[in-house]
């Protein structure tokens, strides 16, 4: 072979190499030039959240980032095969890092081929920097399961009369939480509706378990009566028909079915058990022996329905005829227990006050009120309201018409005379050293009451309120006769009380009032008005040291002269 022939391939190889070197040089120069041109710019061909963000300077990129930031204020439209919803970004746990996104866009590709392709118009996606709180996202989707997911139908059993009926299971579709987070991070800022990926999920109870329950436990549950026994020989019989009305079989969370009694219906068919419940009885004080003794409290009992139903459910699937279950109870504790009553220090008479001189009609009203108050206990730190304790004092409660003071004159009304009891109670509390929380004197002076140391009440308007600021309880005892009423206070004596009545002054004369003759008109000769005062001095019972001194000044209006015309 000649040298000419052998040199031809070499020349071709050399030519190819020269062309390759030239192309490479051109590409290198082109890439170098592009590197210089795009310095400080975003990468060529970048597309972010559906926006062209390639080869932008900082000034050009700023409005694009701002537009993406604006979209973070709008609700996110999400969609699944089951439905759609609009949810706030905060609720979904989405956050946008604008600065980090700008930095990511300015990160130039290191691969020269990627850079070359971008130079010739090829685009590539640069995802925005988005954070997703997985817990918040899951909670937001959970809150909209009804719109976005198709719930699985769990297997179960119900009854048609006494016949068990199978409720076969069915699979569901739910949002794939992990995949949804990735999709939202990528597509949120495009502003378009985001399609959330779904995944199938199966119910926990299989059709085979349902069928086995229908043929087994469900048949046994209605096979015979169940007698539910309670306290005090109270019992209720559940028939198979009633069992079918209240019973279903529900998933136990481990792939099985368990009996479940509907609580509302169950209470109706077992309503007879309520007769076995009892209310707690507070401890109280008896004065039958002449001094206070504690009558013990008693606990009450209420049916614990949850535990009772659980006991019945167990019997339904495990026991054979004859079947029975016992009601379960929870204790109801009294407000005032025996121990608490014994620790109140109610042991001795600390004050007593008596008034008399009332009419027979007033006496009946006083008797009813005294009976209502007898045995009342004022606990330490508590108050006693006469109106609150007795409640309404009208004809329905047995009160009768008697004399009252209305608009400065005597007239007749149902419940008249109660002010006499109020005055008696007030004075007993006064000498016991109790706190005068609220009381009101009569508008004009009534001679059978102590001056500036008496009280009136009116149903729903004027009250007598006594406070117990001592460390001991105070027991109120009342006694009544046709001529007098007495109030006694029992506690622990810690103070002595002195009452100082001031002189009368600033007298005023009565005026004549003419009132139409009738049952409401009570003629009166009237009486002078005056101003006076009362000072209560409280001292320590052991040391005699003065604890408090309080003066109350009272202005009595003149009692008008009433003429019935």
């Amino acid at each position: 072979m000649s040298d000419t022939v052998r040199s031809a391939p070499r020349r071709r190889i050399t030519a190819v190499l020269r062309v390759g070197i030239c192309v490479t040089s051109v590409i290198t120069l082109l890439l170098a030039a592009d590197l210089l041109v795009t310095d400080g710019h975003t990468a060529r061909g970048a597309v972010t959240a559906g926006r062209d963000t390639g080869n932008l300077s900082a000034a050009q990129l700023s409005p694009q980032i701002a537009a993406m930031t604006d979209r973070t204020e709008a609700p996110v439209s999400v969609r699944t095969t089951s439905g759609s919803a609009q949810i706030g970004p905060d609720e979904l746990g989405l956050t946008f890092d604008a600065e980090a996104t700008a930095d990511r866009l300015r990160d130039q590709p290191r691969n020269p081929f990627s850079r070359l392709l971008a130079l010739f118009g090829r685009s590539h996606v640069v995802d925005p920097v988005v954070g997703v709180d997985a817990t918040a996202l899951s909670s937001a989707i959970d809150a909209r399961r009804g719109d976005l997911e198709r719930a699985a139908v769990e297997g179960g059993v119900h009854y048609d009369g006494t016949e068990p009926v199978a409720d076969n299971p069915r699979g569901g579709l739910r949002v794939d939480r992990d995949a949804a987070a990735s999709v939202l991070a990528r597509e949120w800022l495009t502003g378009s509706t985001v399609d959330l990926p779904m995944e199938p999920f199966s119910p926990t109870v299989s059709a085979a378990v349902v069928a086995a329950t229908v043929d087994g436990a469900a048949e046994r549950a209605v096979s015979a009566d169940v007698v539910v026994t309670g306290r005090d020989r109270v019992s209720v019989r559940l028939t198979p028909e009633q069992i079918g009305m209240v019973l279903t079989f529900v998933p136990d969370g481990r792939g099985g079915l368990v009996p479940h009694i509907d609580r509302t219906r169950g209470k109706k068919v077992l309503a007879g058990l309520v007769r076995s419940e009892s209310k707690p009885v507070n401890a109280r004080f008896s004065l039958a022996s002449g001094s206070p003794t504690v009558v013990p409290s008693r606990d009450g009992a209420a049916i614990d329905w949850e535990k009772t139903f659980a006991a019945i459910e167990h019997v339904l699937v495990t026991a054979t005829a004859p079947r029975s279950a016992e009601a379960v109870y929870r204790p109801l504790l009294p407000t005032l227990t025996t121990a608490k009553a014994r620790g109140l220090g109610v042991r001795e008479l600390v004050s007593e006050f008596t008034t008399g001189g009332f009419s027979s009609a007033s006496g009946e009203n006083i008797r009813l009120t005294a009976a209502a108050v007898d045995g009342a206990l004022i606990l330490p730190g508590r108050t006693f309201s006469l109106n609150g304790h007795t409640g309404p004092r009208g004809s329905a409660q047995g009160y009768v018409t008697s004399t009252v003071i209305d608009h400065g004159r005597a007239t007749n009304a149902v419940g008249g005379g109660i002010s006499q009891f109020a005055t008696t109670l007030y004075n007993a509390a006064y000498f016991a050293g109790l706190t005068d929380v609220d009381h009101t004197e009569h508008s004009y002076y009534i001679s059978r009451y102590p001056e500036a140391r008496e009280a009136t009440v009116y149903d729903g308007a004027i009250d007598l309120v006594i406070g117990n600021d001592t460390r001991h309880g105070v027991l109120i005892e009342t006694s009544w006769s046709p001529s007098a009423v007495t109030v006694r206070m029992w506690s622990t004596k810690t103070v002595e009380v002195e009452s100082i009545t001031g002189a009368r002054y600033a007298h005023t004369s009565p005026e004549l009032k003419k009132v139409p003759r009738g049952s409401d008109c009570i003629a009166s000769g009237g009486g002078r008005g005056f101003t006076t005062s009362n000072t209560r001095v409280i001292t320590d019972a052991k040391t005699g040291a003065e604890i408090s001194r309080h003066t109350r000044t009272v202005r009595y209006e003149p009692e008008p002269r009433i003429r019935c015309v």
Side-chain angles (χ1 to χ4, degrees), residues 43-275:
R44 285 186 184 278
V47 176
T48 306
R51 292 176 170 274
D52 183 2
T53 53
N55 195 26
L56 299 179
S57 66
Q60 293 170 324
L61 178 61
S62 180
Q64 299 285 8
I65 295 294
M68 286 185 269
T69 302
D70 289 342
R71 286 178 176 171
T72 64
E73 303 296 326
V76 184
S77 294
V78 296
R79 180 173 56 199
T80 68
T81 54
S82 295
S84 61
Q86 287 199 326
I87 312 173
D90 289 344
E91 188 180 355
L92 284 167
L94 299 175
T95 55
F96 171 54
D97 191 329
E99 186 175 345
T101 300
D103 289 342
R104 179 179 285 182
L105 284 166
R106 283 190 287 266
D107 187 15
Q108 297 289 341
R110 297 179 181 234
N111 188 321
F113 293 102
S114 298
R115 192 175 185 89
L116 185 63
L117 290 172
L119 188 62
F120 286 98
R122 183 173 178 176
S123 63
H124 64 282
V125 174
V126 177
D127 290 331
V129 180
V130 172
V132 184
D133 184 326
T135 302
L137 172 61
S138 185
S139 296
I141 294 175
D142 285 345
R144 293 163 179 82
R145 280 177 174 166
D147 296 324
L148 300 176
E149 298 184 335
R150 189 184 77 195
V153 176
E154 285 287 4
V157 177
H158 70 279
Y159 287 89
D160 182 3
T162 59
E163 186 69 27
V165 178
D167 298 316
N168 286 314
R170 186 186 70 200
L173 283 173
R174 64 189 174 195
V175 175
D176 184 331
R177 305 298 204 266
D178 292 337
S182 299
V183 172
L184 282 166
R186 186 171 61 250
E187 300 182 12
W188 165 34
L189 296 178
T190 64
S192 58
T193 299
V194 180
D195 288 309
L196 300 179
M198 305 291 281
E199 62 180 356
F201 72 106
S202 301
T204 62
V205 179
S206 68
V209 170
V210 173
T213 303
V214 168
D215 294 336
E219 286 282 359
R220 288 195 301 275
V222 291
S223 62
D225 292 353
V226 176
V227 177
V228 184
T229 58
R231 296 169 38 156
D232 300 326
R233 292 181 291 184
V234 174
S235 65
V236 174
R237 180 178 295 274
L238 287 178
T239 64
E241 289 75 16
Q242 289 174 316
I243 294 170
M245 289 169 51
V246 303
L247 185 66
T248 56
F249 282 80
V250 299
D252 62 2
R254 300 185 300 274
L257 289 174
V258 292
H260 175 75
I261 294 174
D262 182 278
R263 278 26 182 172
T264 301
R265 295 178 180 177
K267 288 179 182 179
K268 288 182 179 179
V269 298
L270 294 172
L273 287 177
V274 174
R275 298 195 312 272

